[in-house]
Amino acid sequence: MGQQEGHSNPHPDEAALPTTTAAPSPSPSPSPSPSSSRLYTAWLVASWYASNIGVLLLNKYLLSVYGFRFPLLLTACHMSACAVLSTLAQHASPRPRSSSSPRSHRQLARVALLGAVFCASVVAGNVSLRHLPVSFNQAVGATTPFFTALLAYAVAARREACATYAALVPVVAGVAIATGGEPSFHLFGFVMCVAATVGRALKTVLQGILLSSEEEKMDSMDLLRYMAPVAVLLLVPATLAMERDAFGVVAGLAREDPSFLWLLLCNSCLAYFVNLTNFLVTKHTSPLTLQVLGNAKGAVAVVVSILIFRNPVTVVGMLGYGVTVAGVVLYGEAKKRSK
């Protein structure tokens, strides 16, 4: 709760939020040595990879292997952890609170709208993991730039250069190839995965429109702090209505296996650290570096998931995923040159 745009990461995991705006300039401090700076950046990247891949694999394990078949409740747990941990982090931060608080009811309404879209995309992504292997889920998720470009044109009339649109052709073609070669294809899971990808793209576009003014800018962690409670308020009644036996099953699983609650807690906390590490990596690297790291992260997630879950893969499927990743790289290059 892999989202989230100005999305620098072409393989967003279900819980991740995009970085929206720059954080306030820090006060002057002694510059760290180049070696310590590189080590710190490497540690951030490793943490980013570990949290992203960890939450993705744990989601898959809980939803399709362990038998916890409640994606709404799982997403509610993720959002609850994000709400609590981001609030604690804000209180522990030396930054003045006034610098990160919404400035009007109108801005709060906009954040609530973004929270609803984000919530829907995360739920759809978790539902898809019940039916699709992680490798195919990542291949479909890599098409986020395609849907972002389409929605930016449809919603905001924002045009890209012809070369940028042309670079999106292999993005879609690769998923078409991967779909034809996917031995574990599930139509409903595929529809939900596409819906999650479209939701992340829509959130990106709306975020650019709704929080574009200088007075309303927030960094991604502040945005998460206000969006997560909105998501919880939407998810709890939805869980009670659509997954009525979820809480009873959780109580039963906790009695049978006390480690289940720790597994769920770890999974929920990882959902927050996905956002935190994404924010820190974005802050300490360049957009191009983040693009390359994002491409590599998706590939690593695919390989690790295949090794762990042993889901069958075909040469055609992996070829399709490779074509999609190549298209995403071309798209990033075309966008960079068009600016």
Side-chain angles (χ1 to χ4, degrees):
M1 305 334 56
Q3 3 203 193
Q4 125 115 154
E5 335 178 300
H7 211 304
S8 13
N9 177 7
H11 299 285
D13 25 72
E14 299 308 330
L17 278 169
T19 298
T20 54
T21 56
S25 301
S27 55
S29 57
S31 299
S33 67
S35 58
S36 63
S37 178
R38 282 194 296 269
L39 282 174
Y40 180 63
T41 301
W43 179 80
L44 286 179
V45 171
S47 301
W48 182 43
Y49 272 40
S51 58
N52 270 270
I53 296 171
V55 78
L56 185 64
L57 297 181
L58 276 175
N59 284 351
K60 178 64 178 176
Y61 176 74
L62 286 169
L63 291 167
S64 64
V65 178
Y66 193 90
F68 180 76
R69 304 186 183 280
F70 304 105
L72 284 174
L73 180 57
L74 181 62
T75 309
C77 291
H78 288 178
M79 293 299 101
S80 298
C82 287
V84 171
L85 292 175
S86 58
T87 299
L88 290 176
Q90 192 270 342
H91 281 286
S93 171
R95 182 174 50 173
R97 292 183 190 177
S98 59
S99 68
S100 59
S101 301
R103 293 162 179 80
S104 66
H105 292 296
R106 182 183 177 187
Q107 187 183 12
L108 276 175
R110 290 175 170 184
V111 171
L113 174 61
L114 289 172
V117 174
F118 174 61
C119 175
S121 70
V122 174
V123 170
N126 284 338
V127 170
S128 76
L129 282 172
R130 283 187 57 186
H131 306 286
L132 297 177
V134 172
S135 54
F136 188 57
N137 181 283
Q138 288 289 282
V140 177
T143 61
T144 300
F146 170 76
F147 291 108
T148 302
L150 288 184
L151 290 170
Y153 178 75
V155 176
R158 193 166 70 234
R159 295 174 179 268
E160 301 284 358
C162 291
T164 305
Y165 286 121
L168 291 170
V169 173
V171 173
V172 179
V175 170
I177 295 170
T179 300
E182 176 52 54
S184 305
F185 181 80
H186 189 284
L187 181 59
F188 179 68
F190 176 72
V191 170
M192 286 293 99
C193 196
V194 172
T197 306
V198 173
R200 284 190 292 266
L202 177 60
K203 181 186 170 295
T204 297
V205 175
L206 291 178
Q207 198 163 283
I209 296 171
L210 300 181
L211 297 177
S212 58
S213 68
E214 196 64 37
E215 309 80 54
E216 295 186 348
K217 283 186 178 180
M218 285 190 279
D219 67 41
S220 62
M221 298 312 294
D222 288 328
L223 186 59
L224 177 66
R225 182 161 55 92
Y226 289 103
M227 284 172 50
V230 172
V232 173
L233 290 175
L234 293 172
L235 287 165
V236 169
T239 300
L240 293 172
M242 301 171 67
E243 298 176 347
R244 296 182 181 180
D245 57 340
F247 293 100
V249 171
V250 167
L253 288 172
R255 284 194 298 270
E256 294 171 12
D257 180 13
S259 65
F260 166 72
L261 289 179
W262 289 107
L263 187 64
L264 190 60
L265 179 63
C266 177
N267 179 248
S268 301
C269 291
L270 274 177
Y272 170 74
F273 285 107
V274 166
N275 293 285
L276 177 62
T277 54
N278 183 69
F279 171 69
L280 292 173
V281 169
T282 302
K283 186 177 178 182
H284 287 85
T285 63
S286 68
L288 178 59
T289 302
L290 195 69
Q291 180 86 7
V292 173
L293 291 172
N295 291 328
K297 179 171 61 66
V300 171
V302 168
V303 172
V304 172
S305 70
I306 292 171
L307 291 174
I308 292 177
F309 296 112
R310 306 286 182 180
N311 57 282
V313 293
T314 63
V315 174
V316 173
M318 295 309 293
L319 174 65
Y321 179 72
V323 171
T324 295
V325 172
V328 171
V329 173
L330 289 173
Y331 173 77
E333 287 296 314
K335 280 206 67 150
K336 187 174 68 172
R337 291 180 182 180
S338 66
K339 289 180 180 179

PDB file of all heavy atoms in Angstrom, residues 26-41:
ATOM      1  N   PRO A  26      16.057  23.728   5.349  1.00  0.00           N
ATOM      2  CA  PRO A  26      16.586  23.523   6.692  1.00  0.00           C
ATOM      3  C   PRO A  26      17.557  24.625   7.068  1.00  0.00           C
ATOM      4  O   PRO A  26      18.126  25.295   6.209  1.00  0.00           O
ATOM      5  CB  PRO A  26      17.301  22.159   6.574  1.00  0.00           C
ATOM      6  CG  PRO A  26      17.670  22.058   5.128  1.00  0.00           C
ATOM      7  CD  PRO A  26      16.588  22.793   4.374  1.00  0.00           C
ATOM      8  N   SER A  27      17.744  24.777   8.347  1.00  0.00           N
ATOM      9  CA  SER A  27      18.704  25.769   8.807  1.00  0.00           C
ATOM     10  C   SER A  27      20.111  25.294   8.482  1.00  0.00           C
ATOM     11  O   SER A  27      20.373  24.093   8.394  1.00  0.00           O
ATOM     12  CB  SER A  27      18.561  25.952  10.321  1.00  0.00           C
ATOM     13  OG  SER A  27      18.693  24.709  10.960  1.00  0.00           O
ATOM     14  N   PRO A  28      21.042  26.226   8.259  1.00  0.00           N
ATOM     15  CA  PRO A  28      22.400  25.843   7.894  1.00  0.00           C
ATOM     16  C   PRO A  28      23.023  24.908   8.924  1.00  0.00           C
ATOM     17  O   PRO A  28      22.860  25.081  10.125  1.00  0.00           O
ATOM     18  CB  PRO A  28      23.158  27.179   7.850  1.00  0.00           C
ATOM     19  CG  PRO A  28      22.087  28.206   7.641  1.00  0.00           C
ATOM     20  CD  PRO A  28      20.879  27.676   8.343  1.00  0.00           C
ATOM     21  N   SER A  29      23.721  23.885   8.440  1.00  0.00           N
ATOM     22  CA  SER A  29      24.396  22.958   9.330  1.00  0.00           C
ATOM     23  C   SER A  29      25.675  22.500   8.656  1.00  0.00           C
ATOM     24  O   SER A  29      25.810  22.595   7.443  1.00  0.00           O
ATOM     25  CB  SER A  29      23.506  21.752   9.636  1.00  0.00           C
ATOM     26  OG  SER A  29      23.127  21.118   8.431  1.00  0.00           O
ATOM     27  N   PRO A  30      26.610  21.997   9.428  1.00  0.00           N
ATOM     28  CA  PRO A  30      27.878  21.556   8.833  1.00  0.00           C
ATOM     29  C   PRO A  30      27.636  20.484   7.779  1.00  0.00           C
ATOM     30  O   PRO A  30      26.867  19.568   7.987  1.00  0.00           O
ATOM     31  CB  PRO A  30      28.649  20.994  10.048  1.00  0.00           C
ATOM     32  CG  PRO A  30      28.005  21.618  11.242  1.00  0.00           C
ATOM     33  CD  PRO A  30      26.578  21.842  10.883  1.00  0.00           C
ATOM     34  N   SER A  31      28.310  20.597   6.623  1.00  0.00           N
ATOM     35  CA  SER A  31      28.136  19.635   5.542  1.00  0.00           C
ATOM     36  C   SER A  31      28.808  18.323   5.910  1.00  0.00           C
ATOM     37  O   SER A  31      29.949  18.308   6.359  1.00  0.00           O
ATOM     38  CB  SER A  31      28.745  20.175   4.246  1.00  0.00           C
ATOM     39  OG  SER A  31      28.101  21.364   3.875  1.00  0.00           O
ATOM     40  N   PRO A  32      28.095  17.188   5.718  1.00  0.00           N
ATOM     41  CA  PRO A  32      28.717  15.900   6.007  1.00  0.00           C
ATOM     42  C   PRO A  32      29.773  15.589   4.947  1.00  0.00           C
ATOM     43  O   PRO A  32      29.744  16.118   3.844  1.00  0.00           O
ATOM     44  CB  PRO A  32      27.549  14.922   5.916  1.00  0.00           C
ATOM     45  CG  PRO A  32      26.566  15.594   5.007  1.00  0.00           C
ATOM     46  CD  PRO A  32      26.731  17.065   5.256  1.00  0.00           C
ATOM     47  N   SER A  33      30.706  14.716   5.281  1.00  0.00           N
ATOM     48  CA  SER A  33      31.729  14.329   4.315  1.00  0.00           C
ATOM     49  C   SER A  33      31.070  13.550   3.176  1.00  0.00           C
ATOM     50  O   SER A  33      30.035  12.920   3.360  1.00  0.00           O
ATOM     51  CB  SER A  33      32.782  13.456   4.998  1.00  0.00           C
ATOM     52  OG  SER A  33      32.205  12.225   5.385  1.00  0.00           O
ATOM     53  N   PRO A  34      31.673  13.581   1.964  1.00  0.00           N
ATOM     54  CA  PRO A  34      31.088  12.865   0.834  1.00  0.00           C
ATOM     55  C   PRO A  34      30.876  11.381   1.095  1.00  0.00           C
ATOM     56  O   PRO A  34      29.875  10.814   0.699  1.00  0.00           O
ATOM     57  CB  PRO A  34      32.117  13.097  -0.289  1.00  0.00           C
ATOM     58  CG  PRO A  34      32.814  14.363   0.089  1.00  0.00           C
ATOM     59  CD  PRO A  34      32.862  14.357   1.591  1.00  0.00           C
ATOM     60  N   SER A  35      31.835  10.731   1.801  1.00  0.00           N
ATOM     61  CA  SER A  35      31.716   9.296   2.052  1.00  0.00           C
ATOM     62  C   SER A  35      30.543   8.996   2.985  1.00  0.00           C
ATOM     63  O   SER A  35      29.770   8.069   2.744  1.00  0.00           O
ATOM     64  CB  SER A  35      33.015   8.748   2.651  1.00  0.00           C
ATOM     65  OG  SER A  35      33.325   9.424   3.856  1.00  0.00           O
ATOM     66  N   SER A  36      30.399   9.794   4.057  1.00  0.00           N
ATOM     67  CA  SER A  36      29.284   9.560   4.984  1.00  0.00           C
ATOM     68  C   SER A  36      27.953   9.885   4.316  1.00  0.00           C
ATOM     69  O   SER A  36      26.947   9.223   4.565  1.00  0.00           O
ATOM     70  CB  SER A  36      29.464  10.398   6.251  1.00  0.00           C
ATOM     71  OG  SER A  36      29.438  11.785   5.945  1.00  0.00           O
ATOM     72  N   SER A  37      27.956  10.891   3.440  1.00  0.00           N
ATOM     73  CA  SER A  37      26.738  11.234   2.715  1.00  0.00           C
ATOM     74  C   SER A  37      26.318  10.101   1.788  1.00  0.00           C
ATOM     75  O   SER A  37      25.145   9.758   1.691  1.00  0.00           O
ATOM     76  CB  SER A  37      26.949  12.516   1.917  1.00  0.00           C
ATOM     77  OG  SER A  37      25.803  12.848   1.180  1.00  0.00           O
ATOM     78  N   ARG A  38      27.306   9.488   1.095  1.00  0.00           N
ATOM     79  CA  ARG A  38      27.007   8.369   0.201  1.00  0.00           C
ATOM     80  C   ARG A  38      26.492   7.165   0.985  1.00  0.00           C
ATOM     81  O   ARG A  38      25.567   6.476   0.558  1.00  0.00           O
ATOM     82  CB  ARG A  38      28.247   7.996  -0.602  1.00  0.00           C
ATOM     83  CG  ARG A  38      28.532   8.937  -1.775  1.00  0.00           C
ATOM     84  CD  ARG A  38      29.554   8.334  -2.715  1.00  0.00           C
ATOM     85  NE  ARG A  38      30.851   8.160  -2.073  1.00  0.00           N
ATOM     86  CZ  ARG A  38      31.814   9.075  -2.082  1.00  0.00           C
ATOM     87  NH1 ARG A  38      31.632  10.248  -2.689  1.00  0.00           N
ATOM     88  NH2 ARG A  38      32.971   8.837  -1.493  1.00  0.00           N
ATOM     89  N   LEU A  39      27.114   6.913   2.145  1.00  0.00           N
ATOM     90  CA  LEU A  39      26.674   5.783   2.979  1.00  0.00           C
ATOM     91  C   LEU A  39      25.243   5.994   3.459  1.00  0.00           C
ATOM     92  O   LEU A  39      24.429   5.065   3.479  1.00  0.00           O
ATOM     93  CB  LEU A  39      27.613   5.610   4.179  1.00  0.00           C
ATOM     94  CG  LEU A  39      28.951   4.921   3.908  1.00  0.00           C
ATOM     95  CD1 LEU A  39      29.827   4.968   5.153  1.00  0.00           C
ATOM     96  CD2 LEU A  39      28.728   3.475   3.476  1.00  0.00           C
ATOM     97  N   TYR A  40      24.938   7.234   3.870  1.00  0.00           N
ATOM     98  CA  TYR A  40      23.590   7.543   4.342  1.00  0.00           C
ATOM     99  C   TYR A  40      22.567   7.370   3.218  1.00  0.00           C
ATOM    100  O   TYR A  40      21.500   6.781   3.421  1.00  0.00           O
ATOM    101  CB  TYR A  40      23.548   8.969   4.877  1.00  0.00           C
ATOM    102  CG  TYR A  40      22.190   9.386   5.392  1.00  0.00           C
ATOM    103  CD1 TYR A  40      21.611   8.743   6.479  1.00  0.00           C
ATOM    104  CD2 TYR A  40      21.485  10.433   4.782  1.00  0.00           C
ATOM    105  CE1 TYR A  40      20.362   9.122   6.952  1.00  0.00           C
ATOM    106  CE2 TYR A  40      20.241  10.813   5.253  1.00  0.00           C
ATOM    107  CZ  TYR A  40      19.681  10.153   6.336  1.00  0.00           C
ATOM    108  OH  TYR A  40      18.442  10.517   6.791  1.00  0.00           O
ATOM    109  N   THR A  41      22.912   7.850   2.019  1.00  0.00           N
ATOM    110  CA  THR A  41      22.006   7.703   0.879  1.00  0.00           C
ATOM    111  C   THR A  41      21.809   6.228   0.537  1.00  0.00           C
ATOM    112  O   THR A  41      20.692   5.788   0.255  1.00  0.00           O
ATOM    113  CB  THR A  41      22.552   8.458  -0.347  1.00  0.00           C
ATOM    114  OG1 THR A  41      22.709   9.840  -0.019  1.00  0.00           O
ATOM    115  CG2 THR A  41      21.609   8.336  -1.530  1.00  0.00           C
TER     116      THR A  41
END
